[in-house]
Amino acid sequence: MREMERRMGKTSKKMLAVTAGFAVLMSACSNAAPNEGAEGAASGEQERTTLKVEVFDRGNAPAGMSIDNNYLTNYVKSSFSDTSGIDVQYVPIPRSEEIQKLNVLMASADDVPDIVFTYDSGTYYRYATQGGLTDVTELLDEYGPNLKAFLGEDTLKYGQIDGQQLAIPGRRLVLGRYASYVRQDWLDKVGLPVPQTTDELYEALKAFKAQDPGGLGDKMIPLGMSMAPAQYESLLWSFVEPLTEEQRYTLTQKLGSSDYPVLLPGFKDGLQFMNKLYNEGLISKDFALDEDKKQIWQDVQNGLVGAYSEDAGELFFGYNSTYKNMQTNVSGATFTPIDPYTDAEGKHAKPGYAPNAMYIMIPKSSERAVEAIKYLDWMASEDHLFFMQNGVEGENYALEDGIPVLDAEAPQDVQDRLYNYGDMAIIVNGKFIGEPQQNSEAYIRQVPKEYHELMRTSVDISNVDKIDQIVMPRPIESESKYGNALAEKYKELIVKTTMAAPDKFESTYESIMKEYMAGGGQAILDERKTVYGEMR
């Protein structure tokens, strides 16, 4: 133990209790009055309280760990709970069902965690306007100085309505979103260059199907597709025609955390192109059944996919080892990052992220608002956030020019320590080091070193002709009201128009769009027109 302490240094000393074993977190609820207990009992011993915190469960916990009992939850216990008297109890919420589950919890004042969060702005606005959230303005001033300084006013304003701080927005560091990839070894075999345009990609997909460079037969998938936005958004947005300011503000519809192009001119042409690809056998046959990307990841790893779009650099990350596994499974298989989808102006337009990340909220029913702010402030203080994102120097990473670089050769149990850091370090999205260039480089260097240049190219692509999200001067109430249902109708529109027989495309499109507009699309359009008029 002395040798471990000597090697791990200042940051790692905090983890001695953690590395000694994974203990299940205490859940000793007290009967203390709201927001007391952390101050200590009259006897001099701390009176403990329990803070319930939501955590996304992606179903990817390594063997021997669970989403609520792992290396980082035990770090929180040893570094925060043992010193504050606030026990943190994590409440797992399936990532793929987070809105539905959160709605159920919010409807039950007894079961809802003290800290909840969502990327869905409509869900946040709905809770806020219905009086379901705690105003944390004064609490931040009193108990969250480190948190306020870390987030800054530009980020905090995304959680303010009518002068009240009803959510604490996470700080997003990486605003680029998507890149695309093509099997370079397949291009070489069919004798084609790297696709630079939509038409060139289409020709490559047809060549893959006709010549079967991987010798896969019916298993081969020229263009990988799923119902995750990363797979189809770059394609669909590239068909959107040049827009006036009025069209951008009024015809765009925000359903959740993203802008949707469903009413934008050219969007229908994008759907028709997907219909063409599907009917020519060029995209994943069962894409409609794959909402969590597990199938497309498996197909890529098995070397079945010729090209696909993805969150920038996703396939190089160690937690699902997509690229590494593909190269292990298929000798000579390589991907080249590409930016092929081109619009009418020759640009590679694709959506980007808003500068805020998730909306962190404290339900009005919570009696632990003070403890919640203390927990988030702890995360923003000293080196806690750095540790939660990077682990132990000399074991998980090495510093190069002040940037933590992942040790891809570390034992698997060491690598597994940080498998869920993004869902634990909820005050930020992206690797935070300090200056923007450092943050960007840290994001790139978190993948194995041999993939750094591929990762850098992917990030660069994600920022080319990036489409910024529309920020309306006030919340669009109809988007909060109808957004979740319309997001599902939007998926239905993509699936059914893509899979329709070519001669049924038009009627399928018209039928579903009629339902979309009647189900709230028209109400959103009307309200956005009104708000735009007020802006002008």
Side-chain angles (χ1 to χ4, degrees):
M1 186 64 75
R2 291 193 185 94
E3 175 61 16
M4 181 184 295
E5 185 171 347
R6 184 188 66 79
R7 288 187 296 108
M8 291 167 65
K10 176 186 173 184
T11 301
S12 304
K13 288 177 183 178
K14 299 175 182 176
M15 287 304 302
L16 292 178
V18 179
T19 53
F22 290 107
V24 178
L25 293 180
M26 298 288 289
S27 300
C29 299
S30 77
N31 295 318
N35 297 325
E36 293 180 359
E39 305 301 326
S43 64
E45 296 182 0
Q46 284 186 326
E47 186 175 352
R48 306 196 69 80
T49 59
T50 296
L51 177 71
K52 295 182 179 180
V53 179
E54 176 187 354
V55 63
F56 282 153
D57 186 353
R58 301 177 188 270
N60 62 340
M65 298 187 195
S66 64
I67 196 65
D68 55 353
N69 181 27
N70 54 64
Y71 191 78
L72 291 182
T73 61
N74 282 282
Y75 175 68
V76 171
K77 180 181 185 301
S78 67
S79 186
F80 173 71
S81 296
D82 287 353
T83 57
S84 68
I86 303 170
D87 294 314
V88 180
Q89 178 183 334
Y90 291 96
V91 181
I93 303 293
R95 179 66 178 97
S96 59
E97 306 171 35
E98 59 116 350
I99 299 298
Q100 301 93 311
K101 297 292 186 182
L102 185 55
N103 286 336
V104 172
L105 288 172
M106 288 292 287
S108 171
D110 294 331
D111 295 332
V112 65
D114 303 296
I115 292 178
V116 297
F117 48 74
T118 182
Y119 285 103
D120 189 317
S121 61
T123 295
Y124 153 60
Y125 289 142
R126 186 171 67 255
Y127 295 156
T129 55
Q130 292 176 354
L133 302 178
T134 300
D135 177 7
V136 298
T137 306
E138 295 183 1
L139 294 178
L140 276 176
D141 288 337
E142 186 171 356
Y143 300 103
N146 298 296
L147 183 62
K148 283 191 69 174
F150 174 75
L151 296 176
E153 288 301 322
D154 287 345
T155 298
L156 285 169
K157 69 182 181 182
Y158 283 90
Q160 297 169 358
I161 297 179
D162 295 332
Q164 294 184 311
Q165 191 77 49
L166 296 174
I168 301 169
R171 181 176 169 184
R172 186 179 289 279
L173 306 176
V174 178
L175 302 184
R177 198 164 185 174
Y178 302 128
S180 298
Y181 303 88
V182 67
R183 281 283 295 272
Q184 184 64 53
D185 53 315
W186 286 13
L187 285 177
D188 294 342
K189 287 182 179 180
V190 301
L192 289 176
V194 173
Q196 305 293 326
T197 66
T198 305
D199 288 342
E200 290 180 7
L201 176 62
Y202 175 62
E203 293 302 320
L205 299 179
K206 289 197 299 181
F208 290 165
K209 182 174 176 59
Q211 300 182 41
D212 190 12
L216 298 167
D218 293 340
K219 294 181 180 180
M220 191 259 289
I221 304 170
L223 182 66
M225 187 63 61
S226 81
M227 276 311 296
Q231 270 71 67
Y232 57 76
E233 281 209 325
S234 294
L235 185 159
L236 291 176
W237 277 91
S238 72
F239 280 85
V240 172
E241 299 171 6
L243 304 173
T244 64
E245 179 192 76
E246 182 175 359
Q247 286 176 314
R248 290 179 67 243
Y249 274 88
T250 61
L251 298 183
T252 301
Q253 303 218 324
K254 184 179 287 295
L255 312 178
S257 60
S258 299
D259 286 346
Y260 283 63
V262 61
L263 302 186
L264 298 180
F267 171 71
K268 180 181 175 183
D269 297 329
L271 292 177
Q272 194 141 33
F273 183 65
M274 285 188 64
N275 176 269
K276 178 180 181 179
L277 295 175
Y278 184 83
N279 282 284
E280 291 182 10
L282 299 179
I283 63 176
S284 306
K285 182 179 180 181
D286 297 323
F287 76 96
L289 303 178
D290 186 17
E291 292 203 36
D292 57 9
K293 298 199 289 191
K294 288 185 178 179
Q295 186 59 54
I296 193 170
W297 282 347
Q298 193 64 45
D299 291 339
V300 170
Q301 291 180 40
N302 288 333
L304 307 182
V305 175
Y308 82 125
S309 298
E310 184 55 282
D311 296 312
E314 178 83 26
L315 79 163
F316 305 119
F317 282 94
Y319 67 83
N320 60 19
S321 302
T322 302
Y323 195 58
K324 180 179 179 180
N325 289 344
M326 182 193 74
Q327 293 191 306
T328 299
N329 294 335
V330 184
S331 177
T334 58
F335 268 121
T336 293
I338 58 173
D339 197 11
Y341 295 113
T342 44
D343 63 16
E345 298 179 311
K347 295 181 178 180
H348 300 276
K350 63 188 77 67
Y353 286 112
N356 66 296
M358 62 175 62
Y359 297 89
I360 304 168
M361 303 165 288
I362 302 173
K364 191 78 169 182
S365 59
S366 172
E367 297 181 341
R368 295 287 175 256
V370 168
E371 287 88 341
I373 298 300
K374 287 182 176 180
Y375 170 67
L376 297 173
D377 192 72
W378 163 85
M379 196 178 297
S381 67
E382 300 181 19
D383 57 0
H384 300 303
L385 180 62
F386 185 91
F387 185 89
M388 294 177 77
Q389 292 195 321
N390 299 287
V392 178
E393 183 177 4
E395 296 183 19
N396 291 95
Y397 70 93
L399 283 177
E400 296 181 5
D401 303 321
I403 305 295
V405 177
L406 174 77
D407 181 1
E409 302 302 320
Q412 191 61 47
D413 63 322
V414 173
Q415 296 187 47
D416 288 344
R417 292 171 177 172
L418 305 178
Y419 83 96
N420 63 333
Y421 81 84
D423 295 326
M424 290 286 292
I426 56 177
I427 62 174
V428 68
N429 187 296
K431 284 289 187 80
F432 179 78
I433 306 301
E435 297 301 318
Q437 185 58 40
Q438 291 178 305
N439 296 335
S440 177
E441 194 61 25
Y443 181 73
I444 290 167
R445 296 193 198 182
Q446 65 185 308
V447 303
K449 183 171 290 187
E450 62 265 34
Y451 305 143
H452 283 182
E453 289 310 309
L454 291 169
M455 182 69 169
R456 185 170 287 107
T457 302
S458 301
V459 172
D460 289 345
I461 286 172
S462 72
N463 287 298
V464 172
D465 299 327
K466 177 170 57 66
I467 303 170
D468 294 329
Q469 292 196 20
I470 304 296
V471 180
M472 300 298 283
R474 63 174 172 83
I476 304 300
E477 294 182 8
S478 52
E479 289 178 341
S480 299
K481 183 176 181 180
Y482 301 112
N484 291 340
L486 288 179
E488 292 303 312
K489 182 60 67 174
Y490 178 79
K491 291 179 182 178
E492 180 185 345
L493 177 66
I494 292 174
V495 170
K496 290 187 175 180
T497 55
T498 297
M499 299 178 68
D503 62 346
K504 299 293 184 183
F505 173 85
E506 191 69 31
S507 60
T508 302
Y509 173 83
E510 294 296 337
S511 174
I512 300 175
M513 279 302 299
K514 184 177 180 180
E515 295 174 358
Y516 180 94
M517 297 304 287
Q522 185 65 51
I524 294 174
L525 175 60
D526 292 343
E527 187 176 354
R528 290 181 75 106
K529 284 182 176 179
T530 298
V531 173
Y532 180 76
E534 296 169 355
M535 288 172 53
R536 301 299 295 170

